[in-house]
Amino acid sequence: MSYIGKKPSDITRAIANYDTFTGDGSTTTFTLTQGAASANDLTVVVNNVRQEPGSGSKSYTLTPPTSLVFNTAPAASDEIYVINPTQVESVVRAGDLSSGAITGQTAETTPADGDTLLMFDASATALRKITKANLFTGITTNATHTGEVTGATALTIADNAVTLAKMASGTDGNLITYDASGNPAYVATGNAGQILTSAGAGAPPTFAAAPTSGCWEKLDTITISGTTSQIEHEEANFTSTHRDYKIMLSNVALTADATMRMRVATDGGTLGSGTNYKYAMTSYRSNNSTGIEHDQDGTAFPLGGATAAGADAKYTQNFEINLYNPLSTTTFFHFSSVGMQVDNNDYAMTHIGGGVYVTGHDVAFKRFVLYLSTGDFNAGTSTLYGRIV
């Protein structure tokens, strides 16, 4: 564009600001409402006398942008006013910017700490610049922590985010638990054979030795394969460690219909065959019939009902025989039997009974032989248990 005379300045001036102050004899610095670039841009008047900018013998200086500093404090009640033309260079309004001025720039995804950002300082109502390093302080991301992690608010970990590899190392065999205060703790490793024992509410569990009395312990198992005429557990299984014994028969099959029987003897002795077996045994069958066996002078203990057990391979005989303190040398030997069988008519049959061997009260019995009235055993298991004294 052509001009007559001097070209207008590129500097654009807005409406001047007007500040008034009153001296108190001591204050030398006064704050302007609008910043200026130089003391020469200001018109400063004291008691209607214009002041000369500059230091030393002159009147005032400016600490940009808003601190007006008098070389000598104006006297008390001096009237001061300041005219600030508010010079603005290269004014740009929001409407002068196209959207492409921002969106057309290369996107920065990883700003460096020294990069500068433009911001508005609300406390000073002015634009300021700030580096990225000063914008975010006190924030740690993707850090490896080796000590306590604390924060003003609760810190959380995602569900299932802590793997075994992230847990602190411990002692092999220790168990994680909680103490009386609800804090994580561990149960110290026990010794071989010990069991975990509860200490009740308010205390962690501990490993302790297994009970030494009253518990049943498996001593021996006989697996029947092929055919055998009798079942007998080794005499060495019967010791003073145990008081009572139990023989558990499971899935026992027979080669023929037969009645199962038991005879007893002392350690290494001959099986008793005399009339010393007293017993009473009753059975109840699925056809609503009852069988009873009893004898004061029997030659063996019957096991099960009076009707012979069937040899049908689809059915098996299952029951237990309880031997009460057979090692006693002051009482006769006593036993009981209870269980389920199938008879020779394929009726389900349950039985219960017991007996006493009325000789040898002063000797220990260690032989208990199961046999059949006819035929053999050909399948099943016989397991011996002992109850610890």
Side-chain angles (χ1 to χ4, degrees):
M1 179 180 290
S2 300
Y3 301 92
I4 299 176
K6 186 179 179 181
K7 175 183 176 182
S9 173
D10 290 335
I11 298 175
T12 303
R13 298 180 183 274
I15 298 174
N17 276 352
Y18 182 81
D19 292 312
T20 61
F21 308 100
T22 301
D24 58 10
S26 62
T27 301
T28 59
T29 301
F30 299 86
T31 301
L32 304 176
T33 57
Q34 175 63 45
S38 169
N40 296 329
D41 290 335
L42 305 174
T43 298
V44 178
V45 178
V46 178
N47 294 330
N48 290 322
V49 177
R50 183 169 181 172
Q51 306 297 304
E52 182 180 5
S55 58
S57 61
K58 297 183 182 181
S59 179
Y60 67 90
T61 59
L62 178 71
T63 302
T66 60
S67 294
L68 173 66
V69 182
F70 285 96
N71 300 330
T72 302
S77 301
D78 279 358
E79 295 182 356
I80 307 165
Y81 67 85
V82 181
I83 298 174
N84 183 358
T86 64
Q87 174 177 302
V88 181
E89 296 189 12
S90 303
V91 175
V92 178
R93 294 174 295 275
D96 296 331
L97 289 174
S98 68
S99 61
I102 301 298
T103 60
Q105 303 306 311
T106 301
E108 178 59 68
T109 58
T110 55
D113 285 345
D115 289 351
T116 302
L117 306 174
L118 185 65
M119 60 172 282
F120 179 76
D121 186 345
S123 62
T125 63
L127 291 175
R128 296 284 191 268
K129 64 180 181 179
I130 187 171
T131 62
K132 181 252 185 178
N134 290 327
L135 183 62
F136 300 103
T137 59
I139 298 176
T140 303
T141 58
N142 297 329
T144 299
H145 299 281
T146 57
E148 295 288 340
V149 180
T150 60
T153 58
L155 302 177
T156 60
I157 300 175
D159 291 346
N160 303 319
V162 179
T163 63
L164 289 176
K166 300 297 187 296
M167 296 178 66
S169 298
T171 301
D172 183 22
N174 283 0
L175 302 178
I176 297 175
T177 185
Y178 294 91
D179 61 19
S181 300
N183 297 317
Y186 67 88
V187 178
T189 306
N191 297 321
Q194 289 187 322
I195 60 176
L196 190 63
T197 304
S198 172
T206 57
F207 283 100
T212 58
S213 63
C215 294
W216 288 96
E217 180 180 17
K218 186 170 77 169
L219 305 177
D220 185 36
T221 296
I222 297 173
T223 300
I224 303 169
S225 59
T227 59
T228 182
S229 61
Q230 65 182 36
I231 300 171
E232 180 180 7
H233 291 276
E234 291 290 338
E235 298 168 55
N237 291 302
F238 299 90
T239 68
S240 59
T241 301
H242 307 93
R243 183 184 189 279
D244 303 314
Y245 296 84
K246 183 191 301 287
I247 299 174
M248 184 75 70
L249 299 175
S250 178
N251 290 335
V252 174
L254 314 178
T255 60
D257 294 343
T259 300
M260 195 178 305
R261 296 170 180 169
M262 179 175 72
R263 282 181 172 165
V264 301
T266 59
D267 187 5
T270 302
L271 295 176
S273 58
T275 57
N276 299 309
Y277 296 87
K278 295 179 180 290
Y279 58 84
M281 189 76 60
T282 184
S283 61
Y284 187 76
R285 292 181 289 278
S286 56
N287 68 339
N288 197 28
S289 62
T290 302
I292 297 176
E293 281 196 88
H294 57 86
D295 202 328
Q296 279 285 84
D297 303 299
T299 57
F301 291 129
L303 301 175
T307 304
D312 190 327
K314 297 189 296 296
Y315 299 111
T316 60
Q317 323 305 314
N318 305 272
F319 52 91
E320 64 183 51
I321 306 165
N322 295 295
L323 313 175
Y324 303 109
N325 197 13
L327 304 185
S328 171
T329 57
T330 59
T331 61
F332 291 130
F333 164 68
H334 297 71
F335 93 102
S336 67
S337 175
V338 62
M340 182 273 165
Q341 299 168 278
V342 176
D343 72 4
N344 58 338
N345 292 311
D346 294 342
Y347 294 133
M349 177 174 61
T350 182
H351 79 268
I352 185 170
V356 57
Y357 188 68
V358 291
T359 188
H361 68 279
D362 54 350
V363 294
F365 286 84
K366 292 189 175 183
R367 296 194 62 195
F368 305 92
V369 177
L370 310 181
Y371 66 100
L372 301 170
S373 59
T374 184
D376 296 311
F377 301 100
N378 66 350
T381 60
S382 177
T383 305
L384 176 67
Y385 297 88
R387 187 167 68 85
I388 301 173
V389 174

